[in-house]
Amino acid sequence: MIKCPPYPVFLLLLFFRIFLAMAQNTTIPINVGVVLDLDSRLGKIGLSCINMALSDFYASHSNYNTRLVLHTRDSTRDVVVAADAATSPSLRGSYFFRIAQNDSSQVRAISTIIQAFGWSEAVPISVDNEFGEGVIPYLTTALQEVGARIPYWSVIPSKATDGQIVAELYRLMSMQTRVFIVHMLPSLGSRFFAKAKDIGMMEEGNVWITTNGMANSFSTSSSSVDIDNMQGVLGLKTYVPNTKELENFRARWQTKFQQDNPTILNVKLDVFGLWAYDAAWALALAVEKVGGTNFSFRKMNSSHNSTDLGSLEVSQGGPELVRELSSTRFRGLSGDFSLINGQLQSSTFQVVNVNDNGERGIGYWTPQNGLVRNIISTRNTNRYSTSNASLGPIIWPGDTTLAPRGWQIRPNGTIKVLVPVKVGFEEFVTVRHDFSTNTTKVTGFCIEVFDAVIKALPYPVPYEFYPFAKPNGKIAGRYNDLVNQVFLGNYDAAVGDITIRANRSLYVDFSLPFTESGISMVVPIKGKHDAKSTWVFLKPLTWDLWVTSGCFFIFIGFVVWFLEHPINEDFRGSPHHQIGTSFWFAFSTMVFAHRERVVSNLGRFVVIIWCFVVLVLTQSYTASLSSILTIQQLQPIVTDVNLLLKNGDNVGYQAGSFIYEILSQLGFQDDKLRTYRSAEELDELLRNGNENGGISAAFDETPYMKLFLATYCSKYTLVEPTFKADGFAFVFQKGSLLTLDVSTAITQVHEAYKMKAIEAKWFKKKASCSNPNTAGSYDTLSLDSFWGLFIVAGVASSLSLLIYVAMFLYEHGHILTCVDSKASFRTRIREVLRAYDQEDKKSKKDNVQGIAAVESSPNTNCLCLRRPSRSRHPNKIVPEIVLEEEGTTCTQPSELNPNVQATQEIECGIELTAIT
């Protein structure tokens, strides 16, 4: 059987029964049965296309031996029960060939559109037959893969009355979901959209997507679809590439059809006619390959067949014909023709938008590339697009270009929000009812957070608060009862200090938490003085600051000694004396008691910088030590829950809270548990203590405890967090589409620092409670606080050293260059250091005029002492004094030790005695 696409008005079912006519001529006629609804336009179109296909085929293949002979029957719209599902994916068979797109092939395209616009729910609307039902399982799976769900499946009877259609539309109107996927044939679909328009469901905010069952007929006058009732609808059409062959056929077909049907005007060829043309062409090819022999017939086994096709006879040559059809490949009018497992391989769809008097193409969907604007430009890419930016501009129902959010809150647009009525901790939620005006005012931290979150949504959400109270204003129940009211559908949401709990999440949805999580313990604090500690004087500074300070004291002492040693008698003397003086001078600056004079300008510069550093350091140390010795350090009396259990102490929790279950699970007996309703009651219980009927500790969620400590920080402290909890959140009905958007808005409020401002407004702290967790504490001074000062002192000292060394080498560089060239580098350095050490002494000795005069004029005459030689005095060794620049040599007798050998060298820089 070869099946062309069905239609409710047009039923085309090609099934063939082949007879072998052993004739004397050269062609073999193959009889083919064609069942069509000949009273419909589409039936006439289909028959016309089949006839033209065979005519064109044999005109171009005149040498073929076989000829298909058509035997047409009128279906009278009820030939086969299964005809309504010809495109249904559930219809299968080894001899069944579907020359049409499988309905399941378009579910991925639909799910991609849903994903592209961020819609999380969609309602399928289908006819109640195999055609409508067969696609639903595939559609459900495809939507789940993109994170969308089907909250409801609407089924319309195939012969539904207008009343039945309207009743179902009103049911859809009462739902939150506003995305509808329509899968039905044009005759029923046209009536459905007409009624949808009548009751206002084609207005702004609604999304309608039709499958190709209707979309393929948008542009044909043969369809019963009224475009005026479908403004703004999106549709998936089978994509047919426009070729010259197709254009030529359209022109020939239009002329031929008008000649055969002169009473039918303005008929356009659609994809169903093209599939019928290609189906006839494929069958003619396959029959020619099989030939006209070995055909006999037998009855089908119809025991498991759901249609009357089981009464037909089948050819014994059927398997061979099936193989030939499956291997047939050619370029048809509808595109590339190929059959795999009896299914036409054609999965590209065009996305159209119904506007004005017809459809407008806005893009395409392909299995490889997803949504694309131009199908030609994406043939060489493998990127799969799920962005609505890949589509052209869309005009939605209501004549708007703003994409609908895909759901509505309530039919009247206002959500009902339930809030708790509290006795204590009213900073979170406060309900005040004015009986004179019969109005209720709801305020508090949670309420203001909810207001900020709603304002952060990308669309307006009107809401109204309803207190969870009895007619007399008293509390109507516990928080679980409040949450249950949302589950029952009496309210859309609940706002307040409502904690996310696993058992509650089974029935309602929670947004992201808008407060920090955790269950904390509050305990009294006791005072403790650190003044009795032996090493208390070390506590003001951290160890790294102590070490750094000590190193800098030593470094500054060395720098001052180095700068002052050559010219300052206070820094000269024996090595031990100089070391002691350096250390004394450096550390005495700590109390500004240094008595040594500083002579050099560089030394004075270093000392001034260092004294400033010492001043800042000592003052900070004094202040910190004073706080340690005078301020009482506050410590919690208990930090371990197990110790409370071991001692059998009483503990408290807020009345009506789930904390009771947690404490019971920990092992606290009921007679050890005390309840409180307000911060004042909690203070009284803790103040009385365990011995006087009070409590040793209280357990509650961290936001409550921080609010409590904002007032009572001087008496109690918080033990962070003892147990896990998920924090406060907003409650919505299960599956509510507000939940995701509200959670996103909560994140935006946090990131915009609005939450900090709201917390500061409602959780005001006393002036003495700026930090409730660290009341009475002190901060140890660390290196980070003084790092800049040490850098300044280090840079100033190092720079002074470099300047002094540069000046010294400039004045005494001749010592390095005038020493005998055979002297080692070590010897040269030793002479430089000796010059540094003896600089002051040489400047004071005026009796050595010869050498002093030379040394006082550096860089003029280089003075060198050469090897001693014998002179006219045989018993004396006379050194030669050479002025190398002038090129003269002076030899004078010297009273040197005659026992010194003649070969002994006299090194440069030696101190000479008087010359005789």
Side-chain angles (χ1 to χ4, degrees):
M1 175 189 293
I2 299 181
K3 177 66 184 65
C4 289
Y7 222 64
V9 180
F10 151 55
L11 177 62
L12 171 62
L13 180 63
L14 258 177
F15 60 95
F16 55 90
R17 182 178 183 181
I18 304 177
F19 298 94
L20 178 61
M22 302 300 295
Q24 300 298 322
N25 54 14
T26 58
T27 60
I28 303 174
I30 306 298
N31 297 312
V32 178
V34 180
V35 180
L36 295 169
D37 182 5
L38 298 179
D39 291 332
S40 68
R41 288 187 177 185
L42 291 180
K44 291 180 169 58
I45 293 173
L47 182 59
S48 174
C49 289
I50 293 174
N51 286 326
M52 289 188 68
L54 296 182
S55 176
D56 292 346
F57 180 83
Y58 292 118
S60 59
H61 302 85
S62 58
N63 60 328
Y64 279 14
N65 295 325
T66 58
R67 293 291 186 273
L68 296 185
V69 179
L70 301 181
H71 297 268
T72 305
R73 296 288 180 89
D74 189 353
S75 68
T76 63
R77 303 191 180 189
D78 193 26
V79 63
V80 181
V81 175
D84 283 341
T87 59
S88 171
S90 62
L91 187 60
R92 300 182 181 89
S94 57
Y95 289 89
F96 179 81
F97 287 83
R98 192 194 330 264
I99 316 300
Q101 282 181 318
N102 189 330
D103 287 338
S104 64
S105 64
Q106 58 187 322
V107 297
R108 279 194 64 202
I110 295 173
S111 65
T112 302
I113 295 175
I114 299 293
Q115 182 183 14
F117 288 95
W119 299 318
S120 58
E121 288 186 353
V123 174
I125 306 172
S126 65
V127 64
D128 67 342
N129 56 22
E130 195 170 0
F131 167 76
E133 297 172 357
V135 76
I136 297 301
Y138 299 92
L139 180 60
T140 303
T141 302
L143 291 178
Q144 288 176 346
E145 290 176 353
V146 298
R149 57 187 289 265
I150 296 178
Y152 175 72
W153 174 21
S154 175
V155 179
I156 306 295
S158 57
K159 298 181 179 181
T161 63
D162 290 347
Q164 289 176 308
I165 294 176
V166 170
E168 184 63 21
L169 284 170
Y170 276 117
R171 181 183 179 90
L172 296 176
M173 184 182 289
S174 66
M175 302 175 63
Q176 286 189 341
T177 306
R178 279 290 164 267
V179 180
F180 306 105
I181 303 171
V182 180
H183 181 61
M184 55 183 65
L185 298 175
S187 58
L188 179 61
S190 180
R191 295 173 52 214
F192 179 86
F193 277 105
K195 296 303 177 184
K197 182 180 180 181
D198 290 342
I199 68 171
M201 290 193 69
M202 299 304 295
E203 300 299 327
E204 183 177 356
N206 295 284
V207 178
W208 296 92
I209 303 174
T210 66
T211 61
N212 63 352
M214 288 190 66
N216 283 343
S217 301
F218 282 167
S219 59
T220 61
S221 61
S222 58
S223 171
S224 59
V225 174
D226 188 350
I227 295 298
D228 290 338
N229 296 328
M230 301 181 63
Q231 296 296 302
V233 172
L234 295 182
L236 289 179
K237 288 188 63 174
T238 302
Y239 171 67
V240 177
N242 195 15
T243 61
K244 292 182 179 180
E245 292 80 3
L246 177 58
E247 290 298 324
N248 178 267
F249 175 76
R250 286 184 189 276
R252 292 192 298 113
W253 176 87
Q254 194 75 34
T255 302
K256 180 70 166 60
F257 186 85
Q258 207 65 50
Q259 292 175 351
D260 296 341
N261 305 276
T263 60
I264 303 177
L265 303 177
N266 299 323
V267 177
K268 293 182 180 180
L269 181 65
D270 59 14
V271 68
F272 296 105
L274 301 181
W275 281 334
Y277 184 97
D278 290 342
W281 189 285
L283 180 60
L285 276 175
V287 168
E288 178 65 24
K289 293 178 180 179
V290 173
T293 59
N294 298 326
F295 281 97
S296 59
F297 299 91
R298 64 181 177 85
K299 289 283 187 180
M300 291 180 61
N301 183 5
S302 60
S303 59
H304 300 291
N305 202 306
S306 60
T307 71
D308 293 337
L309 296 177
S311 62
L312 300 176
E313 294 180 346
V314 296
S315 171
Q316 295 300 303
E320 186 176 357
L321 183 58
V322 167
R323 286 194 299 270
E324 293 299 334
L325 277 173
S326 299
S327 61
T328 298
R329 304 285 188 275
F330 62 92
R331 178 72 176 177
L333 294 180
S334 63
D336 293 331
F337 186 96
S338 64
L339 297 171
I340 299 178
N341 296 325
Q343 172 63 52
L344 179 65
Q345 298 305 297
S346 174
S347 300
T348 300
F349 294 92
Q350 183 183 19
V351 185
V352 297
N353 183 207
V354 178
N355 299 126
D356 299 328
N357 297 323
E359 63 185 41
R360 178 173 53 88
I362 59 173
Y364 301 87
W365 179 89
T366 68
Q368 297 79 22
N369 304 114
L371 296 176
V372 294
R373 186 70 181 93
N374 191 328
I375 197 170
I376 299 177
S377 61
T378 59
R379 289 178 178 175
N380 297 323
T381 63
N382 293 322
R383 185 179 66 88
Y384 191 88
S385 172
T386 59
S387 171
N388 58 32
S390 300
L391 298 175
I394 301 174
I395 300 177
W396 302 93
D399 197 25
T400 177
T401 57
L402 181 63
R405 65 172 179 260
W407 58 277
Q408 69 171 6
I409 301 167
R410 272 180 174 264
N412 63 358
T414 303
I415 64 173
K416 298 172 63 178
V417 181
L418 192 63
V419 295
V421 176
K422 298 181 65 65
V423 175
F425 297 99
E426 292 186 342
E427 290 83 353
F428 290 97
V429 178
T430 302
V431 178
R432 294 285 185 268
H433 185 75
D434 189 344
F435 290 96
S436 61
T437 60
N438 196 27
T439 58
T440 301
K441 184 177 181 180
V442 183
T443 59
F445 169 74
C446 298
I447 303 302
E448 191 160 336
V449 171
F450 183 74
D451 291 339
V453 168
I454 294 300
K455 291 178 181 177
L457 292 173
Y459 46 83
V461 178
Y463 56 91
E464 186 175 350
F465 292 119
Y466 294 84
F468 185 51
K470 297 178 181 178
N472 60 1
K474 300 296 182 181
I475 299 174
R478 301 179 64 183
Y479 275 64
N480 284 342
D481 301 323
L482 181 147
V483 172
N484 191 51
Q485 290 295 313
V486 179
F487 164 69
L488 295 175
N490 297 329
Y491 299 90
D492 300 296
V495 172
D497 49 343
I498 307 170
T499 306
I500 301 174
R501 301 292 295 167
N503 60 330
R504 296 171 180 172
S505 298
L506 298 175
Y507 310 104
V508 295
D509 285 342
F510 285 96
S511 68
L512 287 178
F514 58 88
T515 63
E516 59 182 310
S517 60
I519 300 172
S520 300
M521 179 174 67
V522 165
V523 297
I525 52 180
K526 60 181 179 179
K528 179 177 74 72
H529 280 288
D530 282 335
K532 297 180 180 179
S533 175
T534 304
W535 304 101
V536 66
F537 68 91
L538 294 177
K539 290 188 175 181
L541 308 183
T542 58
W543 68 269
D544 55 345
L545 183 54
W546 278 115
V547 172
T548 304
S549 300
C551 292
F552 261 83
F553 274 111
I554 297 173
F555 175 65
I556 296 299
F558 166 75
V559 171
V560 174
W561 170 84
F562 190 84
L563 297 175
E564 294 293 316
H565 172 72
I567 60 175
N568 194 334
E569 288 292 342
D570 292 338
F571 291 89
R572 299 190 65 81
S574 65
H576 292 88
H577 175 74
Q578 296 182 53
I579 294 174
T581 300
S582 301
F583 275 95
W584 161 257
F585 179 86
F587 284 96
S588 63
T589 58
M590 186 164 51
V591 291
F592 307 101
H594 49 287
R595 56 180 176 78
E596 292 78 12
R597 293 183 307 108
V598 179
V599 178
S600 67
N601 289 332
L602 290 176
R604 291 171 180 171
F605 173 70
V606 171
V607 171
I608 289 174
I609 297 296
W610 178 244
C611 285
F612 175 74
V613 174
V614 171
L615 176 64
V616 175
L617 191 62
T618 54
Q619 292 298 321
S620 301
Y621 174 85
T622 303
S624 181
L625 182 61
S626 299
S627 67
I628 294 175
L629 296 176
T630 57
I631 295 179
Q632 189 181 42
Q633 305 305 311
L634 304 178
Q635 301 292 335
I637 62 173
V638 63
T639 59
D640 190 1
V641 177
N642 295 323
L643 185 60
L644 293 172
L645 286 168
K646 181 179 179 181
N647 296 337
D649 289 350
N650 297 334
V651 297
Y653 68 95
Q654 189 176 170
S657 172
F658 67 92
I659 304 295
Y660 169 78
E661 286 80 7
I662 295 179
L663 295 176
S664 298
Q665 293 174 4
L666 289 174
F668 286 100
Q669 301 299 319
D670 287 349
D671 60 340
K672 299 295 182 183
L673 300 178
R674 305 289 186 269
T675 61
Y676 57 88
R677 294 184 178 274
S678 64
E680 293 74 19
E681 291 183 11
L682 175 57
D683 173 52
E684 182 180 359
L685 287 173
L686 288 170
R687 189 172 62 249
N688 292 337
N690 189 70
E691 296 79 8
N692 300 318
I695 58 176
S696 297
F699 295 87
D700 212 334
E701 294 177 85
T702 302
Y704 293 118
M705 290 310 193
K706 289 198 172 182
L707 177 60
F708 173 73
L709 291 176
T711 304
Y712 300 99
C713 67
S714 61
K715 301 163 61 176
Y716 313 107
T717 188
L718 185 71
V719 180
E720 290 279 4
T722 307
F723 308 104
K724 294 291 185 181
D726 293 325
F728 298 160
F730 303 130
V731 181
F732 297 95
Q733 293 181 7
K734 200 70 175 177
S736 173
L737 300 177
L738 261 177
T739 307
L740 178 61
D741 291 345
V742 166
S743 297
T744 303
I746 289 175
T747 303
Q748 295 173 354
V749 171
H750 273 289
E751 292 177 352
Y753 300 102
K754 294 180 182 177
M755 195 70 73
K756 291 292 184 183
I758 299 174
E759 289 177 355
K761 174 181 177 180
W762 290 98
F763 303 151
K764 294 180 180 178
K765 301 176 182 178
K766 286 187 176 180
S768 59
C769 294
S770 59
N771 193 348
N773 290 327
T774 59
S777 65
Y778 60 87
D779 292 327
T780 302
L781 301 176
S782 65
L783 180 60
D784 295 337
S785 303
F786 301 93
W787 190 243
L789 288 174
F790 285 121
I791 290 177
V792 172
V795 170
S797 302
S798 301
L799 184 61
S800 298
L801 282 177
L802 291 175
I803 293 174
Y804 178 81
V805 171
M807 293 173 60
F808 178 81
L809 293 178
Y810 177 78
E811 294 180 358
H812 301 86
H814 64 279
I815 299 178
L816 292 174
T817 59
C818 293
V819 176
D820 193 342
S821 60
K822 294 183 178 180
S824 65
F825 178 75
R826 187 175 180 181
T827 301
R828 297 167 187 263
I829 295 300
R830 186 167 61 249
E831 291 305 321
V832 172
L833 295 177
R834 184 176 299 173
Y836 165 76
D837 184 56
Q838 297 178 355
E839 177 83 12
D840 185 69
K841 182 186 295 185
K842 291 179 180 180
S843 66
K844 294 182 179 181
K845 288 190 176 181
D846 298 329
N847 56 337
V848 191
Q849 298 179 0
I851 299 178
V854 176
E855 290 183 348
S856 64
S857 302
N859 298 328
T860 57
N861 297 323
C862 184
L863 174 63
C864 292
L865 298 183
R866 291 187 176 177
R867 189 186 304 273
S869 59
R870 300 282 182 181
S871 65
R872 293 190 300 269
H873 305 278
N875 295 325
K876 295 183 179 181
I877 301 176
V878 181
E880 289 184 343
I881 300 177
V882 181
L883 296 178
E884 290 186 348
E885 184 177 342
E886 298 177 357
T888 61
T889 302
C890 300
T891 304
Q892 296 182 3
S894 177
E895 295 293 341
L896 300 178
N897 190 346
N899 295 325
V900 178
Q901 296 180 2
T903 59
Q904 181 180 357
E905 290 186 6
I906 301 176
E907 297 178 350
C908 182
I910 186 170
E911 184 177 351
L912 301 178
T913 59
I915 301 177
T916 58

